[in-house]
């Protein structure tokens, strides 16, 4: 019998240590956790694991209090896997003051400085056909006021980035072909996916799309190119909401049909590509959330409902639409208001279409530039003084001196394992 644990959060860490379950594999629905280590287990993608194991010889233990029903619904897409919710189990009996729970074994502060970034984002296009009310890229006047020039990444420059990635000591865990714009506006996207896979510079090659360009031809070419993970960003749960949020004539039903076609083409090509749909909660009702999950459940590997957040360098514009979410972008991690140190410059680099490199995925205004791959190697930028200075500024608690970081709330909702505040004094010596 194979025992699979679903849920790689702190609850699993506490309960597993105390209860001593005999578990063979650990999975989690959050792609950002895949490849990380929890108590000696490598966190895996549930879609791949459940294609490898036999439902008749497998039992799933769910270590995710409050999310058991959603996980059980997701399990049905993989097969008739029996599952047992593990909520309510006692953790180790300890006094936090006397014996504080140690941080997860992969807590970021213990791994810094990283020889290889965890994420490399390469943006094929910073144009977007949507004008989403919660995204600065959709605000043409704001973009113009920050002197941001949109463009497309050339295939030649992308090949140079792939060559640069070979200089790192190990593969990049995640290479994401997306940052600010809609990647399918670049007609070379599928060629970039294929060349990235052939170069073997990343464990996962991913993209995020609004789904409006997922024609049968482009769906086929994307899957045939070998993409590992496609995230489709859903903007609302009905046609009227789509018009209000995106400012376009693209409809919810159109995107739903495109995702269904992706599923059918995956089956036809026997592809293991994972498909995630993620909706941003812009004030959705419970019935709208339920409808979204029900509509997409037959066609995807994972369904996420994320929370809205405030963007940096956006002036008086309220991209939170008057909302005050209690959780971060993943919809699960509690917001920690007042967090001083952002982890993003310590774990990622982002190549914009013009070749300039941002220190963070949230640098929509291109105000946090640390290099240019037209003239420099990516590894030299990663190890360079410009990026090191931004890390030091954050560790010193001076992030608001950086225009790109002023008003940004993204980092406040990141998981506790990425929190660097309590370790800033010890880290400053490593980045001096």
């Amino acid at each position: 019998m194979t025992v699979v644990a679903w849920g790689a959060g702190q609850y699993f860490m506490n309960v597993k240590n105390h209860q001593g379950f005999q578990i063979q594999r650990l999975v989690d629905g959050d792609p950002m956790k895949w490849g990380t280590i929890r108590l000696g287990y490598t966190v895996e993608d549930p879609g791949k694991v459940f294609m490898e194991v036999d439902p008749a010889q497998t039992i799933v233990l769910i270590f995710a209090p409050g999310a058991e029903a959603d996980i059980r619904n997701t399990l049905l897409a993989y097969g008739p896997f029996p599952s047992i919710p593990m909520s309510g189990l006692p953790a180790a009996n300890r006094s936090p003051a006397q014996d504080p729970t140690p941080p997860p074994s992969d807590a970021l502060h213990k791994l810094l400085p990283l020889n290889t970034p965890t994420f490399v984002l390469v943006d094929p296009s910073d144009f977007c056909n949507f004008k989403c009310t919660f995204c600065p890229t959709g605000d043409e006047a704001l973009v113009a006021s920050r002197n941001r020039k949109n463009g497309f990444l050339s295939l030649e420059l992308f090949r140079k980035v792939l060559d640069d990635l070979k200089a790192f000591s190990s593969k990049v865990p995640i290479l994401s072909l997306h940052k600010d714009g809609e990647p399918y506006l670049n007609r070379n996207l599928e060629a970039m996916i294929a060349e990235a896979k052939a170069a073997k510079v990343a464990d996962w090659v991913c993209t995020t799309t609004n789904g409006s360009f997922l024609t049968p031809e482009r769906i086929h070419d994307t899957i045939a190119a070998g993409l590992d993970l496609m995230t489709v960003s859903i903007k609302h749960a009905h046609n009227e909401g789509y018009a209000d949020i995106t400012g376009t004539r693209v409809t919810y039903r159109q995107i739903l049909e495109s995702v269904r076609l992706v599923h059918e083409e995956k089956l036809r090509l026997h592809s293991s590509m994972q498909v995630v749909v993620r909706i941003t909660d812009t004030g959705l009702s419970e019935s709208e959330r339920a409808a979204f999950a029900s509509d997409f459940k037959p066609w995807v590997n994972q369904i996420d409902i994320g929370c809205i957040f405030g963007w940096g360098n956006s002036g008086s514009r309220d991209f939170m639409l008057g909302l005050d979410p209690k959780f971060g972008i993943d919809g699960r991690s509690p917001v920690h208001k007042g967090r001083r140190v952002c982890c993003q410059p310590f774990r990622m680099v982002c190549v914009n279409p013009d070749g300039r490199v941002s220190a963070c995925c949230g640098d929509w205004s291109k105000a946090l530039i640390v290099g240019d791959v037209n003239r420099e190697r990516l590894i030299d930028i990663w190890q360079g003084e410009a990026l090191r200075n931004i890390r030091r500024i954050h560790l010193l608690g001076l992030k608001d001196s950086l225009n790109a970081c002023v008003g940004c709330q993204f980092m406040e909702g990141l998981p506790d394992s990425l929190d660097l505040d309590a370790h800033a004094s010890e880290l400053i010596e490593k980045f001096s």
Side-chain angles (χ1 to χ4, degrees), residues 98-407:
Q98 297 172 344
D99 182 15
T101 302
S105 58
D106 65 336
L108 181 62
H109 76 91
K110 299 176 70 174
L111 305 176
L112 296 178
L114 300 176
N115 292 326
T116 302
T118 303
F119 301 91
V120 173
L121 279 66
V122 182
D123 200 358
S125 164
D126 43 20
F127 287 104
C128 189
N129 58 314
F130 281 9
K131 310 297 180 188
C132 295
T133 55
F134 54 83
C135 176
T137 292
D139 187 329
E140 294 180 353
L142 182 61
V143 168
S145 73
R146 299 300 188 267
N147 296 314
R148 170 175 144 182
K149 308 299 182 184
N150 291 338
F152 297 105
L153 178 69
S154 71
L155 195 54
E156 178 183 12
L157 186 56
F158 181 70
R159 288 167 176 159
K160 195 268 183 182
V161 172
L162 293 181
D163 285 340
D164 283 0
L165 289 174
K166 295 174 183 177
F168 286 100
S169 59
S170 60
K171 283 185 179 182
V172 173
I174 297 176
L175 172 61
S176 179
L177 304 186
H178 168 259
K179 179 176 173 277
D180 294 315
E182 169 50 48
Y184 278 91
L185 284 170
N186 190 321
R187 295 299 303 182
N188 289 322
L189 176 64
E190 294 89 335
M192 292 176 180
I193 294 168
E195 295 199 18
K197 291 296 295 180
K200 301 185 186 303
V201 293
D203 293 325
W204 283 75
V205 177
C206 316
T207 195
T208 297
T209 173
N210 62 34
S212 61
F213 294 98
L214 291 177
T215 62
E217 178 184 9
R218 300 204 74 178
I219 291 170
H220 169 84
D221 291 348
T222 297
I223 297 172
L227 187 69
D228 295 301
L229 171 66
M230 173 189 288
T231 299
V232 184
S233 180
I234 308 299
K235 309 306 179 184
H236 210 282
H238 50 66
N239 291 346
E240 295 79 7
Y242 248 74
D244 291 340
I245 292 292
T246 70
T248 70
R249 295 183 179 180
V250 177
T251 68
Y252 173 75
R253 290 292 161 186
Q254 176 185 334
I255 304 302
L256 178 61
E257 174 62 12
S258 294
V259 172
R260 186 189 69 79
L261 292 176
V262 171
H263 174 76
E264 291 190 349
E265 189 66 3
K266 276 180 56 182
L267 294 179
R268 193 181 74 82
L269 295 178
H270 305 288
S271 168
S272 62
M273 183 183 78
Q274 302 295 289
V275 179
V276 174
V277 289
R278 178 174 294 138
I279 194 169
T280 299
D281 186 356
T282 53
L284 300 172
S285 67
E286 286 302 319
S287 62
E288 289 169 339
R289 292 162 68 100
F292 158 70
S294 175
D295 287 343
F296 283 96
K297 174 183 170 183
W299 318 121
V300 301
N301 301 98
Q302 182 177 322
I303 294 172
D304 284 345
I305 300 178
C307 292
I308 205 165
F309 65 92
W311 293 80
N313 203 19
S314 54
S316 60
R317 175 69 188 272
D318 178 20
F319 286 109
M320 297 180 73
L321 310 182
L323 301 174
D324 184 23
K326 305 305 179 187
F327 299 95
I329 190 173
D330 63 4
R332 297 183 294 275
S333 300
V335 168
H336 298 284
K337 292 187 181 297
R339 186 175 274 175
R340 297 181 302 111
V341 184
C342 180
C343 66
Q344 302 298 68
F346 296 86
R347 66 183 192 135
M348 67 168 53
V349 283
C350 310
V351 181
N352 296 299
D354 62 1
R356 293 184 299 158
V357 177
S358 292
C360 175
C361 58
D363 183 29
W364 67 270
S365 61
K366 314 299 189 290
L368 210 60
I369 299 300
V370 293
D372 189 335
V373 293
N374 288 289
R375 302 187 299 270
E376 304 166 83
R377 295 191 310 163
L378 197 57
I379 191 171
D380 294 330
I381 297 171
W382 176 249
Q383 298 172 348
E385 192 63 19
L387 186 50
R388 184 181 294 267
N389 281 337
I390 287 173
R391 294 165 180 157
R392 284 196 291 251
I393 287 170
H394 273 266
L395 291 171
L396 291 169
L398 302 174
K399 70 177 183 66
D400 286 343
S401 67
L402 301 167
N403 287 337
C405 303
V406 175

